[in-house]
Amino acid sequence: MNVIGKLPFVIATRLSQQIRNMSLVRSLAFVNNQWVPASSGETFEVTNPANGQVLGQVPDMDVDDTEQAVNVAFEAFKTWEHTTAKERSVLLRKWYNLLEDNKDEIARIMTAESGKPLSEAAGEVAYANGFIDWFSEEARRIPGEIVASPTQTKEMMMIRRPIGVAALITPWNFPAAMITRKAGAALAAGCTCVIKPAEDTPLTALAMADLAAKAGIPKGVINVVTCSRKKAAEVGRVLCTSPQVAGLSFTGSTNVGKLLYEQCASTVKRVSLELGGNAPYIVFESADLEAAVKGTIACKFRNCGQTCVSANRLFIQESIFDQFVAKLEEAVKGLKVGDGAAAGVTQGPLINDAQATKVKQLVEDAVKKGAKVHLGGKPVSEMGTRFFQPTIISDVDHSMRVFNEEIFGPVAVCIP
Ligand code: NAP
């Protein structure tokens, strides 16, 4: 493993330079096309997980602020729902063009606040913008249906109508794509939205909202309510229980998803949940091992293992187990850990201290119960606790947490 970016001073200098060049970094929330503080005046810090440097402060909004944003989106819906499919399509296309024009800067903001290596951030921005591209076209194609009637005196028609205000709650691991995927669909259909980004990554969301306003998307159609983790539950409760919100789209952990599902029941909202997983990855002896190892690197170590589709358990046919693990070790040794903004880095930091502690404890639990560490297994000591060594372990059984829980870290669990 190559460890780069060992000098905190050098990293800090480079990042402050990076921040100075960011014209889309905002320090206020976005409601009714206005940049607004929290009514309490409270803020929280957004930090770079690579070095703890404070990137900026954003409003720590509460129940009142969220109700205000919902009201605004509810009022905006009254006119937005009557726009033509063509009008919405044209506006989404303009937003897409601006997102594309600013893709490099959005990627740099994302790397600074999420730690994701710059090349991966650029990849996510392309993916994220693709949703707006797609929905700008789909906006024009919202067909209805004439249904065969059971009587001669009635004609039956099915038409699709926007449902109203959509609440969008998104995670930090895809700070752009989880927003455009939801907001693109909502806007194309004629819904307005209130977005609550994750505490760790509000700056990407605000940058995209800025470009939406510049694209001419009318006031109140997109709103971004920022809040700290300690206020997430109260803000979420407003979004889930307000009778003015018609639907919730949430991507995040299974536990929070269950809670929101329950809260949405009181107003019988439309709910769309994308939750966590415990993804298996299976390699048979007939596989092309080079390709299987390459695939493992992509789906285990991308975003430092912090994606919902990251392989959690690698099941390798016994006859090729040793060979596969040896090849995987070689490939993992080629990964570079460091500040995601530095050239060549493939493994950034874990997003926050809680996540870093969880990954460390999962590995410790496995080792205590008899797992064998082939590579890594610890934080990179000279880089602070958030950088975790790309790790391979085996001799894992059902009693270990790594077998049963979503790891969300760079730990490949190999099981014959
Ligand atoms: P999380 O804790 O559930 O957070 C996701 C979002 O929910 C964040 O905006 C968070 O705000 C907010 N939130 C937390 N508690 C809340 C509450 N009580 N009420 C309302 N909102 C609340 O998930 P995470 O740990 O950030 O994300 C990782 C999880 O997401 C993993 O399990 C992963 O598999 C899953 N994920 C799934 C997909 C998919 O496509 N299926 C994609 C990406 C991620 P704060 O940030 O302020 O806590």
PDB file of all heavy atoms in Angstrom, residues 70-105:
ATOM      1  N   VAL A  70     -41.568  23.936   3.616  1.00  0.00           N
ATOM      2  CA  VAL A  70     -42.680  23.111   3.102  1.00  0.00           C
ATOM      3  C   VAL A  70     -43.814  24.022   2.597  1.00  0.00           C
ATOM      4  O   VAL A  70     -44.380  23.803   1.520  1.00  0.00           O
ATOM      5  CB  VAL A  70     -43.186  22.136   4.191  1.00  0.00           C
ATOM      6  CG1 VAL A  70     -44.514  21.497   3.784  1.00  0.00           C
ATOM      7  CG2 VAL A  70     -42.144  21.057   4.471  1.00  0.00           C
ATOM      8  N   ASN A  71     -44.117  25.083   3.358  1.00  0.00           N
ATOM      9  CA  ASN A  71     -45.156  26.046   2.928  1.00  0.00           C
ATOM     10  C   ASN A  71     -44.830  26.639   1.576  1.00  0.00           C
ATOM     11  O   ASN A  71     -45.680  26.759   0.697  1.00  0.00           O
ATOM     12  CB  ASN A  71     -45.241  27.218   3.926  1.00  0.00           C
ATOM     13  CG  ASN A  71     -46.072  26.846   5.134  1.00  0.00           C
ATOM     14  OD1 ASN A  71     -46.927  25.979   5.042  1.00  0.00           O
ATOM     15  ND2 ASN A  71     -45.808  27.491   6.252  1.00  0.00           N
ATOM     16  N   VAL A  72     -43.563  27.028   1.450  1.00  0.00           N
ATOM     17  CA  VAL A  72     -43.104  27.654   0.206  1.00  0.00           C
ATOM     18  C   VAL A  72     -43.259  26.675  -0.967  1.00  0.00           C
ATOM     19  O   VAL A  72     -43.764  27.031  -2.037  1.00  0.00           O
ATOM     20  CB  VAL A  72     -41.618  28.084   0.395  1.00  0.00           C
ATOM     21  CG1 VAL A  72     -40.915  28.248  -0.930  1.00  0.00           C
ATOM     22  CG2 VAL A  72     -41.539  29.361   1.222  1.00  0.00           C
ATOM     23  N   ALA A  73     -42.845  25.430  -0.748  1.00  0.00           N
ATOM     24  CA  ALA A  73     -42.936  24.422  -1.811  1.00  0.00           C
ATOM     25  C   ALA A  73     -44.403  24.126  -2.139  1.00  0.00           C
ATOM     26  O   ALA A  73     -44.763  23.899  -3.299  1.00  0.00           O
ATOM     27  CB  ALA A  73     -42.220  23.145  -1.377  1.00  0.00           C
ATOM     28  N   PHE A  74     -45.263  24.162  -1.105  1.00  0.00           N
ATOM     29  CA  PHE A  74     -46.699  23.910  -1.298  1.00  0.00           C
ATOM     30  C   PHE A  74     -47.323  25.015  -2.156  1.00  0.00           C
ATOM     31  O   PHE A  74     -48.112  24.742  -3.073  1.00  0.00           O
ATOM     32  CB  PHE A  74     -47.372  23.841   0.084  1.00  0.00           C
ATOM     33  CG  PHE A  74     -48.779  23.365   0.054  1.00  0.00           C
ATOM     34  CD1 PHE A  74     -49.084  22.030  -0.183  1.00  0.00           C
ATOM     35  CD2 PHE A  74     -49.837  24.256   0.276  1.00  0.00           C
ATOM     36  CE1 PHE A  74     -50.402  21.590  -0.212  1.00  0.00           C
ATOM     37  CE2 PHE A  74     -51.150  23.818   0.251  1.00  0.00           C
ATOM     38  CZ  PHE A  74     -51.435  22.487   0.009  1.00  0.00           C
ATOM     39  N   GLU A  75     -46.932  26.276  -1.865  1.00  0.00           N
ATOM     40  CA  GLU A  75     -47.449  27.403  -2.653  1.00  0.00           C
ATOM     41  C   GLU A  75     -46.929  27.334  -4.090  1.00  0.00           C
ATOM     42  O   GLU A  75     -47.676  27.551  -5.045  1.00  0.00           O
ATOM     43  CB  GLU A  75     -47.021  28.742  -2.008  1.00  0.00           C
ATOM     44  CG  GLU A  75     -47.811  29.115  -0.773  1.00  0.00           C
ATOM     45  CD  GLU A  75     -49.321  29.105  -1.004  1.00  0.00           C
ATOM     46  OE1 GLU A  75     -49.783  29.730  -1.982  1.00  0.00           O
ATOM     47  OE2 GLU A  75     -50.051  28.436  -0.231  1.00  0.00           O
ATOM     48  N   ALA A  76     -45.639  27.024  -4.218  1.00  0.00           N
ATOM     49  CA  ALA A  76     -45.031  26.973  -5.562  1.00  0.00           C
ATOM     50  C   ALA A  76     -45.680  25.880  -6.415  1.00  0.00           C
ATOM     51  O   ALA A  76     -45.800  26.029  -7.637  1.00  0.00           O
ATOM     52  CB  ALA A  76     -43.533  26.722  -5.448  1.00  0.00           C
ATOM     53  N   PHE A  77     -46.117  24.823  -5.760  1.00  0.00           N
ATOM     54  CA  PHE A  77     -46.738  23.706  -6.496  1.00  0.00           C
ATOM     55  C   PHE A  77     -47.988  24.169  -7.261  1.00  0.00           C
ATOM     56  O   PHE A  77     -48.286  23.676  -8.345  1.00  0.00           O
ATOM     57  CB  PHE A  77     -47.089  22.568  -5.520  1.00  0.00           C
ATOM     58  CG  PHE A  77     -47.789  21.416  -6.175  1.00  0.00           C
ATOM     59  CD1 PHE A  77     -47.124  20.599  -7.091  1.00  0.00           C
ATOM     60  CD2 PHE A  77     -49.123  21.144  -5.910  1.00  0.00           C
ATOM     61  CE1 PHE A  77     -47.776  19.535  -7.713  1.00  0.00           C
ATOM     62  CE2 PHE A  77     -49.793  20.088  -6.529  1.00  0.00           C
ATOM     63  CZ  PHE A  77     -49.109  19.285  -7.441  1.00  0.00           C
ATOM     64  N   LYS A  78     -48.686  25.149  -6.662  1.00  0.00           N
ATOM     65  CA  LYS A  78     -49.951  25.591  -7.272  1.00  0.00           C
ATOM     66  C   LYS A  78     -49.741  26.125  -8.686  1.00  0.00           C
ATOM     67  O   LYS A  78     -50.638  26.052  -9.513  1.00  0.00           O
ATOM     68  CB  LYS A  78     -50.612  26.656  -6.385  1.00  0.00           C
ATOM     69  CG  LYS A  78     -51.112  26.082  -5.067  1.00  0.00           C
ATOM     70  CD  LYS A  78     -51.668  27.161  -4.150  1.00  0.00           C
ATOM     71  CE  LYS A  78     -52.063  26.574  -2.802  1.00  0.00           C
ATOM     72  NZ  LYS A  78     -52.313  27.595  -1.788  1.00  0.00           N
ATOM     73  N   THR A  79     -48.576  26.698  -8.950  1.00  0.00           N
ATOM     74  CA  THR A  79     -48.321  27.150 -10.332  1.00  0.00           C
ATOM     75  C   THR A  79     -47.458  26.146 -11.103  1.00  0.00           C
ATOM     76  O   THR A  79     -47.691  25.904 -12.279  1.00  0.00           O
ATOM     77  CB  THR A  79     -47.637  28.530 -10.354  1.00  0.00           C
ATOM     78  OG1 THR A  79     -46.604  28.547  -9.381  1.00  0.00           O
ATOM     79  CG2 THR A  79     -48.622  29.637 -10.078  1.00  0.00           C
ATOM     80  N   TRP A  80     -46.460  25.555 -10.417  1.00  0.00           N
ATOM     81  CA  TRP A  80     -45.552  24.614 -11.104  1.00  0.00           C
ATOM     82  C   TRP A  80     -46.322  23.428 -11.700  1.00  0.00           C
ATOM     83  O   TRP A  80     -46.023  22.948 -12.788  1.00  0.00           O
ATOM     84  CB  TRP A  80     -44.480  24.134 -10.126  1.00  0.00           C
ATOM     85  CG  TRP A  80     -43.450  23.210 -10.696  1.00  0.00           C
ATOM     86  CD1 TRP A  80     -43.275  21.900 -10.378  1.00  0.00           C
ATOM     87  CD2 TRP A  80     -42.443  23.511 -11.670  1.00  0.00           C
ATOM     88  NE1 TRP A  80     -42.228  21.374 -11.092  1.00  0.00           N
ATOM     89  CE2 TRP A  80     -41.693  22.339 -11.894  1.00  0.00           C
ATOM     90  CE3 TRP A  80     -42.107  24.673 -12.378  1.00  0.00           C
ATOM     91  CZ2 TRP A  80     -40.630  22.275 -12.783  1.00  0.00           C
ATOM     92  CZ3 TRP A  80     -41.041  24.614 -13.281  1.00  0.00           C
ATOM     93  CH2 TRP A  80     -40.319  23.421 -13.470  1.00  0.00           C
ATOM     94  N   GLU A  81     -47.375  22.987 -11.003  1.00  0.00           N
ATOM     95  CA  GLU A  81     -48.112  21.805 -11.510  1.00  0.00           C
ATOM     96  C   GLU A  81     -48.818  22.103 -12.834  1.00  0.00           C
ATOM     97  O   GLU A  81     -49.176  21.193 -13.572  1.00  0.00           O
ATOM     98  CB  GLU A  81     -49.125  21.291 -10.471  1.00  0.00           C
ATOM     99  CG  GLU A  81     -50.315  22.188 -10.243  1.00  0.00           C
ATOM    100  CD  GLU A  81     -51.454  21.490  -9.501  1.00  0.00           C
ATOM    101  OE1 GLU A  81     -51.676  20.290  -9.690  1.00  0.00           O
ATOM    102  OE2 GLU A  81     -52.126  22.181  -8.714  1.00  0.00           O
ATOM    103  N   HIS A  82     -49.042  23.412 -13.099  1.00  0.00           N
ATOM    104  CA  HIS A  82     -49.747  23.771 -14.338  1.00  0.00           C
ATOM    105  C   HIS A  82     -48.792  24.124 -15.480  1.00  0.00           C
ATOM    106  O   HIS A  82     -49.250  24.491 -16.560  1.00  0.00           O
ATOM    107  CB  HIS A  82     -50.714  24.929 -14.078  1.00  0.00           C
ATOM    108  CG  HIS A  82     -51.799  24.565 -13.108  1.00  0.00           C
ATOM    109  ND1 HIS A  82     -52.685  23.537 -13.354  1.00  0.00           N
ATOM    110  CD2 HIS A  82     -52.103  25.042 -11.871  1.00  0.00           C
ATOM    111  CE1 HIS A  82     -53.505  23.409 -12.309  1.00  0.00           C
ATOM    112  NE2 HIS A  82     -53.160  24.310 -11.398  1.00  0.00           N
ATOM    113  N   THR A  83     -47.486  24.081 -15.230  1.00  0.00           N
ATOM    114  CA  THR A  83     -46.553  24.321 -16.343  1.00  0.00           C
ATOM    115  C   THR A  83     -46.702  23.178 -17.345  1.00  0.00           C
ATOM    116  O   THR A  83     -47.093  22.059 -16.977  1.00  0.00           O
ATOM    117  CB  THR A  83     -45.088  24.378 -15.853  1.00  0.00           C
ATOM    118  OG1 THR A  83     -44.829  23.198 -15.082  1.00  0.00           O
ATOM    119  CG2 THR A  83     -44.818  25.611 -15.017  1.00  0.00           C
ATOM    120  N   THR A  84     -46.363  23.475 -18.585  1.00  0.00           N
ATOM    121  CA  THR A  84     -46.479  22.406 -19.584  1.00  0.00           C
ATOM    122  C   THR A  84     -45.263  21.491 -19.488  1.00  0.00           C
ATOM    123  O   THR A  84     -44.208  21.871 -18.956  1.00  0.00           O
ATOM    124  CB  THR A  84     -46.529  22.985 -21.006  1.00  0.00           C
ATOM    125  OG1 THR A  84     -45.282  23.640 -21.252  1.00  0.00           O
ATOM    126  CG2 THR A  84     -47.679  23.961 -21.183  1.00  0.00           C
ATOM    127  N   ALA A  85     -45.433  20.299 -20.030  1.00  0.00           N
ATOM    128  CA  ALA A  85     -44.327  19.339 -20.053  1.00  0.00           C
ATOM    129  C   ALA A  85     -43.121  19.958 -20.762  1.00  0.00           C
ATOM    130  O   ALA A  85     -41.973  19.789 -20.342  1.00  0.00           O
ATOM    131  CB  ALA A  85     -44.774  18.074 -20.771  1.00  0.00           C
ATOM    132  N   LYS A  86     -43.391  20.718 -21.805  1.00  0.00           N
ATOM    133  CA  LYS A  86     -42.294  21.329 -22.561  1.00  0.00           C
ATOM    134  C   LYS A  86     -41.560  22.362 -21.703  1.00  0.00           C
ATOM    135  O   LYS A  86     -40.328  22.414 -21.696  1.00  0.00           O
ATOM    136  CB  LYS A  86     -42.849  21.987 -23.828  1.00  0.00           C
ATOM    137  CG  LYS A  86     -41.761  22.581 -24.692  1.00  0.00           C
ATOM    138  CD  LYS A  86     -42.292  23.210 -25.950  1.00  0.00           C
ATOM    139  CE  LYS A  86     -41.148  23.916 -26.668  1.00  0.00           C
ATOM    140  NZ  LYS A  86     -41.618  24.671 -27.811  1.00  0.00           N
ATOM    141  N   GLU A  87     -42.319  23.170 -20.973  1.00  0.00           N
ATOM    142  CA  GLU A  87     -41.665  24.184 -20.127  1.00  0.00           C
ATOM    143  C   GLU A  87     -40.744  23.518 -19.093  1.00  0.00           C
ATOM    144  O   GLU A  87     -39.613  23.954 -18.875  1.00  0.00           O
ATOM    145  CB  GLU A  87     -42.727  25.034 -19.403  1.00  0.00           C
ATOM    146  CG  GLU A  87     -43.381  26.068 -20.293  1.00  0.00           C
ATOM    147  CD  GLU A  87     -44.650  26.671 -19.687  1.00  0.00           C
ATOM    148  OE1 GLU A  87     -45.307  26.017 -18.825  1.00  0.00           O
ATOM    149  OE2 GLU A  87     -44.990  27.781 -20.081  1.00  0.00           O
ATOM    150  N   ARG A  88     -41.241  22.463 -18.482  1.00  0.00           N
ATOM    151  CA  ARG A  88     -40.417  21.790 -17.463  1.00  0.00           C
ATOM    152  C   ARG A  88     -39.195  21.141 -18.102  1.00  0.00           C
ATOM    153  O   ARG A  88     -38.088  21.179 -17.572  1.00  0.00           O
ATOM    154  CB  ARG A  88     -41.250  20.739 -16.697  1.00  0.00           C
ATOM    155  CG  ARG A  88     -42.377  21.358 -15.882  1.00  0.00           C
ATOM    156  CD  ARG A  88     -42.950  20.376 -14.870  1.00  0.00           C
ATOM    157  NE  ARG A  88     -43.532  19.188 -15.463  1.00  0.00           N
ATOM    158  CZ  ARG A  88     -44.771  19.094 -15.951  1.00  0.00           C
ATOM    159  NH1 ARG A  88     -45.579  20.143 -15.911  1.00  0.00           N
ATOM    160  NH2 ARG A  88     -45.213  17.961 -16.462  1.00  0.00           N
ATOM    161  N   SER A  89     -39.396  20.581 -19.271  1.00  0.00           N
ATOM    162  CA  SER A  89     -38.293  19.939 -19.986  1.00  0.00           C
ATOM    163  C   SER A  89     -37.188  20.955 -20.306  1.00  0.00           C
ATOM    164  O   SER A  89     -35.996  20.699 -20.089  1.00  0.00           O
ATOM    165  CB  SER A  89     -38.832  19.312 -21.283  1.00  0.00           C
ATOM    166  OG  SER A  89     -37.780  18.953 -22.118  1.00  0.00           O
ATOM    167  N   VAL A  90     -37.609  22.124 -20.789  1.00  0.00           N
ATOM    168  CA  VAL A  90     -36.626  23.151 -21.173  1.00  0.00           C
ATOM    169  C   VAL A  90     -35.838  23.619 -19.942  1.00  0.00           C
ATOM    170  O   VAL A  90     -34.613  23.774 -19.985  1.00  0.00           O
ATOM    171  CB  VAL A  90     -37.342  24.329 -21.885  1.00  0.00           C
ATOM    172  CG1 VAL A  90     -36.425  25.534 -22.011  1.00  0.00           C
ATOM    173  CG2 VAL A  90     -37.853  23.881 -23.250  1.00  0.00           C
ATOM    174  N   LEU A  91     -36.544  23.812 -18.829  1.00  0.00           N
ATOM    175  CA  LEU A  91     -35.851  24.272 -17.614  1.00  0.00           C
ATOM    176  C   LEU A  91     -34.882  23.212 -17.093  1.00  0.00           C
ATOM    177  O   LEU A  91     -33.755  23.519 -16.675  1.00  0.00           O
ATOM    178  CB  LEU A  91     -36.870  24.640 -16.528  1.00  0.00           C
ATOM    179  CG  LEU A  91     -37.618  25.956 -16.785  1.00  0.00           C
ATOM    180  CD1 LEU A  91     -38.752  26.127 -15.789  1.00  0.00           C
ATOM    181  CD2 LEU A  91     -36.657  27.147 -16.705  1.00  0.00           C
ATOM    182  N   LEU A  92     -35.298  21.953 -17.134  1.00  0.00           N
ATOM    183  CA  LEU A  92     -34.396  20.883 -16.674  1.00  0.00           C
ATOM    184  C   LEU A  92     -33.169  20.805 -17.586  1.00  0.00           C
ATOM    185  O   LEU A  92     -32.042  20.586 -17.123  1.00  0.00           O
ATOM    186  CB  LEU A  92     -35.127  19.536 -16.634  1.00  0.00           C
ATOM    187  CG  LEU A  92     -36.075  19.356 -15.431  1.00  0.00           C
ATOM    188  CD1 LEU A  92     -36.972  18.147 -15.631  1.00  0.00           C
ATOM    189  CD2 LEU A  92     -35.293  19.208 -14.129  1.00  0.00           C
ATOM    190  N   ARG A  93     -33.384  21.001 -18.870  1.00  0.00           N
ATOM    191  CA  ARG A  93     -32.251  20.973 -19.819  1.00  0.00           C
ATOM    192  C   ARG A  93     -31.271  22.114 -19.507  1.00  0.00           C
ATOM    193  O   ARG A  93     -30.063  21.941 -19.529  1.00  0.00           O
ATOM    194  CB  ARG A  93     -32.814  21.077 -21.245  1.00  0.00           C
ATOM    195  CG  ARG A  93     -31.832  21.240 -22.380  1.00  0.00           C
ATOM    196  CD  ARG A  93     -30.888  20.108 -22.589  1.00  0.00           C
ATOM    197  NE  ARG A  93     -31.484  18.801 -22.432  1.00  0.00           N
ATOM    198  CZ  ARG A  93     -30.798  17.652 -22.465  1.00  0.00           C
ATOM    199  NH1 ARG A  93     -29.504  17.658 -22.675  1.00  0.00           N
ATOM    200  NH2 ARG A  93     -31.386  16.507 -22.280  1.00  0.00           N
ATOM    201  N   LYS A  94     -31.824  23.286 -19.169  1.00  0.00           N
ATOM    202  CA  LYS A  94     -30.933  24.425 -18.831  1.00  0.00           C
ATOM    203  C   LYS A  94     -30.146  24.104 -17.558  1.00  0.00           C
ATOM    204  O   LYS A  94     -28.963  24.421 -17.452  1.00  0.00           O
ATOM    205  CB  LYS A  94     -31.757  25.701 -18.626  1.00  0.00           C
ATOM    206  CG  LYS A  94     -32.252  26.300 -19.926  1.00  0.00           C
ATOM    207  CD  LYS A  94     -32.952  27.625 -19.664  1.00  0.00           C
ATOM    208  CE  LYS A  94     -33.428  28.224 -20.975  1.00  0.00           C
ATOM    209  NZ  LYS A  94     -34.465  29.244 -20.789  1.00  0.00           N
ATOM    210  N   TRP A  95     -30.823  23.473 -16.600  1.00  0.00           N
ATOM    211  CA  TRP A  95     -30.130  23.099 -15.349  1.00  0.00           C
ATOM    212  C   TRP A  95     -29.018  22.100 -15.672  1.00  0.00           C
ATOM    213  O   TRP A  95     -27.883  22.245 -15.214  1.00  0.00           O
ATOM    214  CB  TRP A  95     -31.144  22.508 -14.352  1.00  0.00           C
ATOM    215  CG  TRP A  95     -30.592  22.292 -12.966  1.00  0.00           C
ATOM    216  CD1 TRP A  95     -29.483  22.880 -12.412  1.00  0.00           C
ATOM    217  CD2 TRP A  95     -31.137  21.426 -11.951  1.00  0.00           C
ATOM    218  NE1 TRP A  95     -29.306  22.428 -11.117  1.00  0.00           N
ATOM    219  CE2 TRP A  95     -30.297  21.546 -10.815  1.00  0.00           C
ATOM    220  CE3 TRP A  95     -32.231  20.573 -11.891  1.00  0.00           C
ATOM    221  CZ2 TRP A  95     -30.538  20.834  -9.629  1.00  0.00           C
ATOM    222  CZ3 TRP A  95     -32.477  19.873 -10.711  1.00  0.00           C
ATOM    223  CH2 TRP A  95     -31.636  20.005  -9.596  1.00  0.00           C
ATOM    224  N   TYR A  96     -29.358  21.129 -16.495  1.00  0.00           N
ATOM    225  CA  TYR A  96     -28.353  20.122 -16.884  1.00  0.00           C
ATOM    226  C   TYR A  96     -27.133  20.797 -17.529  1.00  0.00           C
ATOM    227  O   TYR A  96     -25.984  20.486 -17.192  1.00  0.00           O
ATOM    228  CB  TYR A  96     -28.983  19.104 -17.845  1.00  0.00           C
ATOM    229  CG  TYR A  96     -27.956  18.225 -18.528  1.00  0.00           C
ATOM    230  CD1 TYR A  96     -27.276  17.245 -17.811  1.00  0.00           C
ATOM    231  CD2 TYR A  96     -27.643  18.399 -19.884  1.00  0.00           C
ATOM    232  CE1 TYR A  96     -26.313  16.458 -18.422  1.00  0.00           C
ATOM    233  CE2 TYR A  96     -26.681  17.605 -20.496  1.00  0.00           C
ATOM    234  CZ  TYR A  96     -26.020  16.639 -19.758  1.00  0.00           C
ATOM    235  OH  TYR A  96     -25.062  15.864 -20.365  1.00  0.00           O
ATOM    236  N   ASN A  97     -27.411  21.740 -18.448  1.00  0.00           N
ATOM    237  CA  ASN A  97     -26.280  22.401 -19.127  1.00  0.00           C
ATOM    238  C   ASN A  97     -25.389  23.126 -18.125  1.00  0.00           C
ATOM    239  O   ASN A  97     -24.156  23.067 -18.206  1.00  0.00           O
ATOM    240  CB  ASN A  97     -26.792  23.379 -20.189  1.00  0.00           C
ATOM    241  CG  ASN A  97     -27.381  22.651 -21.388  1.00  0.00           C
ATOM    242  OD1 ASN A  97     -27.093  21.470 -21.603  1.00  0.00           O
ATOM    243  ND2 ASN A  97     -28.221  23.333 -22.159  1.00  0.00           N
ATOM    244  N   LEU A  98     -25.999  23.798 -17.151  1.00  0.00           N
ATOM    245  CA  LEU A  98     -25.197  24.509 -16.143  1.00  0.00           C
ATOM    246  C   LEU A  98     -24.439  23.529 -15.246  1.00  0.00           C
ATOM    247  O   LEU A  98     -23.293  23.778 -14.865  1.00  0.00           O
ATOM    248  CB  LEU A  98     -26.094  25.414 -15.286  1.00  0.00           C
ATOM    249  CG  LEU A  98     -26.577  26.687 -15.989  1.00  0.00           C
ATOM    250  CD1 LEU A  98     -27.555  27.449 -15.095  1.00  0.00           C
ATOM    251  CD2 LEU A  98     -25.388  27.585 -16.352  1.00  0.00           C
ATOM    252  N   LEU A  99     -25.091  22.417 -14.915  1.00  0.00           N
ATOM    253  CA  LEU A  99     -24.395  21.401 -14.109  1.00  0.00           C
ATOM    254  C   LEU A  99     -23.174  20.869 -14.869  1.00  0.00           C
ATOM    255  O   LEU A  99     -22.109  20.669 -14.295  1.00  0.00           O
ATOM    256  CB  LEU A  99     -25.347  20.240 -13.761  1.00  0.00           C
ATOM    257  CG  LEU A  99     -26.451  20.552 -12.743  1.00  0.00           C
ATOM    258  CD1 LEU A  99     -27.510  19.451 -12.747  1.00  0.00           C
ATOM    259  CD2 LEU A  99     -25.885  20.731 -11.338  1.00  0.00           C
ATOM    260  N   GLU A 100     -23.351  20.683 -16.164  1.00  0.00           N
ATOM    261  CA  GLU A 100     -22.224  20.200 -16.977  1.00  0.00           C
ATOM    262  C   GLU A 100     -21.122  21.259 -17.065  1.00  0.00           C
ATOM    263  O   GLU A 100     -19.933  20.951 -16.939  1.00  0.00           O
ATOM    264  CB  GLU A 100     -22.708  19.847 -18.391  1.00  0.00           C
ATOM    265  CG  GLU A 100     -23.358  18.486 -18.476  1.00  0.00           C
ATOM    266  CD  GLU A 100     -22.336  17.360 -18.274  1.00  0.00           C
ATOM    267  OE1 GLU A 100     -21.484  17.154 -19.139  1.00  0.00           O
ATOM    268  OE2 GLU A 100     -22.410  16.681 -17.237  1.00  0.00           O
ATOM    269  N   ASP A 101     -21.534  22.526 -17.261  1.00  0.00           N
ATOM    270  CA  ASP A 101     -20.533  23.606 -17.352  1.00  0.00           C
ATOM    271  C   ASP A 101     -19.717  23.708 -16.067  1.00  0.00           C
ATOM    272  O   ASP A 101     -18.587  24.174 -16.084  1.00  0.00           O
ATOM    273  CB  ASP A 101     -21.217  24.970 -17.585  1.00  0.00           C
ATOM    274  CG  ASP A 101     -21.841  25.062 -18.967  1.00  0.00           C
ATOM    275  OD1 ASP A 101     -21.541  24.197 -19.816  1.00  0.00           O
ATOM    276  OD2 ASP A 101     -22.643  25.986 -19.183  1.00  0.00           O
ATOM    277  N   ASN A 102     -20.323  23.330 -14.949  1.00  0.00           N
ATOM    278  CA  ASN A 102     -19.664  23.500 -13.640  1.00  0.00           C
ATOM    279  C   ASN A 102     -19.256  22.169 -13.011  1.00  0.00           C
ATOM    280  O   ASN A 102     -19.033  22.076 -11.812  1.00  0.00           O
ATOM    281  CB  ASN A 102     -20.615  24.245 -12.691  1.00  0.00           C
ATOM    282  CG  ASN A 102     -20.790  25.684 -13.115  1.00  0.00           C
ATOM    283  OD1 ASN A 102     -19.971  26.533 -12.798  1.00  0.00           O
ATOM    284  ND2 ASN A 102     -21.853  25.959 -13.863  1.00  0.00           N
ATOM    285  N   LYS A 103     -19.144  21.138 -13.839  1.00  0.00           N
ATOM    286  CA  LYS A 103     -18.937  19.798 -13.265  1.00  0.00           C
ATOM    287  C   LYS A 103     -17.618  19.678 -12.500  1.00  0.00           C
ATOM    288  O   LYS A 103     -17.546  18.991 -11.490  1.00  0.00           O
ATOM    289  CB  LYS A 103     -19.050  18.724 -14.352  1.00  0.00           C
ATOM    290  CG  LYS A 103     -18.015  18.808 -15.441  1.00  0.00           C
ATOM    291  CD  LYS A 103     -18.292  17.777 -16.517  1.00  0.00           C
ATOM    292  CE  LYS A 103     -17.240  17.927 -17.604  1.00  0.00           C
ATOM    293  NZ  LYS A 103     -17.544  17.193 -18.795  1.00  0.00           N
ATOM    294  N   ASP A 104     -16.575  20.366 -12.973  1.00  0.00           N
ATOM    295  CA  ASP A 104     -15.285  20.237 -12.284  1.00  0.00           C
ATOM    296  C   ASP A 104     -15.354  20.840 -10.883  1.00  0.00           C
ATOM    297  O   ASP A 104     -14.838  20.281  -9.924  1.00  0.00           O
ATOM    298  CB  ASP A 104     -14.168  20.920 -13.096  1.00  0.00           C
ATOM    299  CG  ASP A 104     -13.936  20.194 -14.412  1.00  0.00           C
ATOM    300  OD1 ASP A 104     -14.342  19.016 -14.522  1.00  0.00           O
ATOM    301  OD2 ASP A 104     -13.379  20.812 -15.341  1.00  0.00           O
ATOM    302  N   GLU A 105     -15.991  21.982 -10.803  1.00  0.00           N
ATOM    303  CA  GLU A 105     -16.075  22.626  -9.491  1.00  0.00           C
ATOM    304  C   GLU A 105     -16.956  21.819  -8.532  1.00  0.00           C
ATOM    305  O   GLU A 105     -16.632  21.668  -7.349  1.00  0.00           O
ATOM    306  CB  GLU A 105     -16.616  24.051  -9.633  1.00  0.00           C
ATOM    307  CG  GLU A 105     -16.694  24.706  -8.264  1.00  0.00           C
ATOM    308  CD  GLU A 105     -16.838  26.200  -8.302  1.00  0.00           C
ATOM    309  OE1 GLU A 105     -16.441  26.825  -9.296  1.00  0.00           O
ATOM    310  OE2 GLU A 105     -17.335  26.743  -7.303  1.00  0.00           O
TER     311      GLU A 105
END
